[in-house]
Amino acid sequence: MRRRDPAARCGRSRANATQRRGKAGRAAHKPAATEAAPAETTAETTAAAGTLEAAVCQAAAEHGGGRGRVLVARLDDAGDVLLAGPATRAVRTLADELVFLAGPNGRAAAELLPGVDRVIEWRAPWIDHSPAAVSNAQVADLIARVQGVDEALLLTSFHQSALPLALLLRMAGVRRVCAISNDYPGSLLDVRHVVDETLDVPEAERMLAVARAAGFDLPPGDDGKLAVRRPLPDIGRESGHFLGVGGAADERSYVVVHPGTSAPARTWPAERHRQAVRELVDDGHQVVVTGKERDLTAYVACDAAVDLGGRTTLAELAAVIEGASVLVAGNTGPAHLAAAVGTPVVSLFAPVVPAARWAPYGVPTVLLGDQQAPCSGSRARTCPVAGHPCLSLVTSEQVVKAVRELTQ
């Protein structure tokens, strides 16, 4: 394949940009331009001085690339993709081009990662929560769309296997494939990274270890925390408007409450969220409620808080959370988005997965929820214990106290 100048790639967009505007009409952040393939996008890279993106691009220029077109894959949800950010930045320091393979739930998060040049969306039948039957056409589609990839880094959770994707990438002609596999991989992997899964290592560090095993590392000055591509949409004036303060809202002037999660087992009751919102307002906080489920956010906000349900893109949500003093959320994507923008988190964490692996990474966090409940480690999407005791016993008073702790 023809090698590209990595410094040049960091300074320009690859395709005809089609601007995506949020409902509030903001367009400062243009993460992707649509290509011919309906589910493939090209991310615009912004190398502003002093940004993490600039550091990644400078490292790529100094090392001269040389590893060709490298694919990084994380096929599950938005939070998992955000946690793959440090590993992705490490790969970008040596890749001539970095292609990110994401599932439909993780695509928007992949478009926010610094260092990503292009995003391919593909629904993996062994990962997706509602998988369709496997078909020849589905497999052929992926093989066609990853043609020209020289190397692949496959990032998985401890309960997932990298081997199905490794097989498909071998069929596509990918020469070098790297992943964690405690199962014998045969000829599917060139670098087989074996880990002790009895140790609960933070997911971001686990994935960065895979990148390092493959010969990639973070650029100088990169602290290995989560990050998003800059600039984010400018919501200053809009935030001031929806908080009723005129002009731009003061930084860290409100609390964000995000009641939705990707699985019922991780959800704090809606009535508790609503009560917490009222008590936070009584405690002197302005509150913004966010989420996709408009009926849920309207109920939780009631007449006490600003309801942004269904009104933000993921990039706009990142900007809203960045302006907050604290995010109150369950174990879900926005908690990791808060970590990526440096906002403290009150984490309503159901122990169906270990908090040591998936709690918000690298930011001040107060963890609420019984981590020793009977559902601990079950990976259940629907609570297997009557009454959902791990979270239902958390009170609104505890949430208010946690917010105070993080804001004082």
Side-chain angles (χ1 to χ4, degrees):
M1 61 172 283
R2 180 172 63 89
R3 304 299 181 199
R4 297 163 179 79
D5 176 1
R9 285 201 56 78
C10 286
R12 68 171 185 268
S13 170
R14 288 187 67 248
N16 298 323
T18 56
Q19 191 165 295
R20 297 195 331 176
R21 298 178 66 90
K23 291 188 178 181
R26 298 182 293 276
H29 179 86
K30 300 181 289 183
T34 303
E35 294 184 347
E40 184 169 348
T41 59
T42 299
E44 180 179 31
T45 53
T46 304
T51 66
L52 188 58
E53 185 82 15
V56 173
C57 291
Q58 182 175 347
E62 290 174 353
H63 288 88
R67 297 286 282 265
R69 179 178 292 149
V70 183
L71 181 140
V72 175
R74 182 80 200 210
L75 292 165
D76 35 10
D77 294 328
D80 305 294
V81 170
L82 291 168
L83 286 163
T88 301
R89 299 196 303 271
V91 170
R92 189 62 185 83
T93 62
L94 293 179
D96 294 319
E97 180 185 15
L98 193 149
V99 180
F100 200 103
L101 179 64
N105 294 328
R107 174 181 173 173
E111 292 172 343
L112 282 178
L113 292 182
V116 171
D117 297 304
R118 183 159 54 98
V119 178
I120 297 174
E121 177 187 325
W122 190 73
R123 189 184 297 272
W126 63 92
I127 297 288
D128 196 74
H129 302 310
S130 302
V134 180
S135 68
N136 289 336
Q138 180 189 26
V139 171
D141 173 61
L142 177 65
I143 291 173
R145 293 168 65 193
V146 298
Q147 292 295 315
V149 168
D150 299 292
E151 184 173 351
L153 188 76
L154 312 186
L155 303 176
T156 53
S157 294
F158 72 98
H159 55 86
Q160 298 168 344
S161 173
L163 299 184
L165 181 57
L167 175 61
L168 297 183
L169 294 178
R170 286 295 199 213
M171 294 172 64
V174 178
R175 298 194 306 268
R176 189 171 190 261
V177 183
C178 314
I180 290 175
S181 182
N182 290 331
D183 295 324
Y184 173 63
S187 61
L188 297 182
L189 299 181
D190 298 285
V191 176
R192 176 194 181 192
H193 187 54
V194 179
V195 299
D196 182 356
E197 296 292 16
T198 65
L199 301 177
D200 286 329
V201 177
E203 193 74 355
E205 295 177 15
R206 184 178 188 271
M207 289 188 277
L208 180 57
V210 182
R212 285 172 169 155
F216 302 100
D217 208 345
L218 292 167
D222 190 324
D223 60 10
K225 293 184 179 180
L226 307 194
V228 291
R229 188 183 298 273
R230 302 292 179 160
L232 290 171
D234 181 4
I235 64 158
R237 187 169 300 279
E238 287 80 3
S239 64
H241 175 71
F242 66 61
L243 290 171
V245 296
D250 293 335
E251 186 176 1
R252 310 299 190 188
S253 64
Y254 53 90
V255 173
V256 171
V257 174
H258 189 94
T261 64
S262 60
R266 303 181 184 189
T267 304
W268 197 43
E271 177 55 43
R272 295 286 175 83
H273 276 101
R274 181 178 168 116
Q275 186 175 354
V277 165
R278 290 171 177 157
E279 292 180 14
L280 285 167
V281 170
D282 289 343
D283 203 47
H285 300 281
Q286 293 177 302
V287 179
V288 177
V289 180
T290 60
K292 296 179 182 178
E293 308 91 338
R294 301 190 71 169
D295 289 344
L296 174 62
T297 60
Y299 175 78
V300 169
C302 190
D303 57 356
V306 174
D307 177 16
L308 291 185
R311 294 172 55 188
T312 60
T313 65
L314 191 65
E316 289 166 343
L317 178 60
V320 170
I321 293 173
E322 184 174 42
S325 57
V326 176
L327 169 73
V328 178
N331 177 24
T332 190
H336 302 298
L337 200 58
V341 296
T343 297
V345 181
V346 174
S347 178
L348 297 155
F349 200 99
V352 290
V353 294
R357 293 177 184 254
W358 276 285
Y361 184 70
V363 292
T365 299
V366 175
L367 201 70
L368 299 178
D370 182 2
Q371 300 306 298
Q372 307 305 318
C375 64
S376 177
S378 66
R379 305 203 316 268
R381 293 186 60 77
T382 301
C383 184
V385 182
H388 200 198
C390 68
L391 287 182
S392 64
L393 297 180
V394 175
T395 67
S396 55
E397 290 87 352
Q398 287 176 283
V399 170
V400 174
K401 180 181 178 182
V403 170
R404 285 182 193 153
E405 180 181 332
L406 291 171
T407 56
Q408 292 176 352

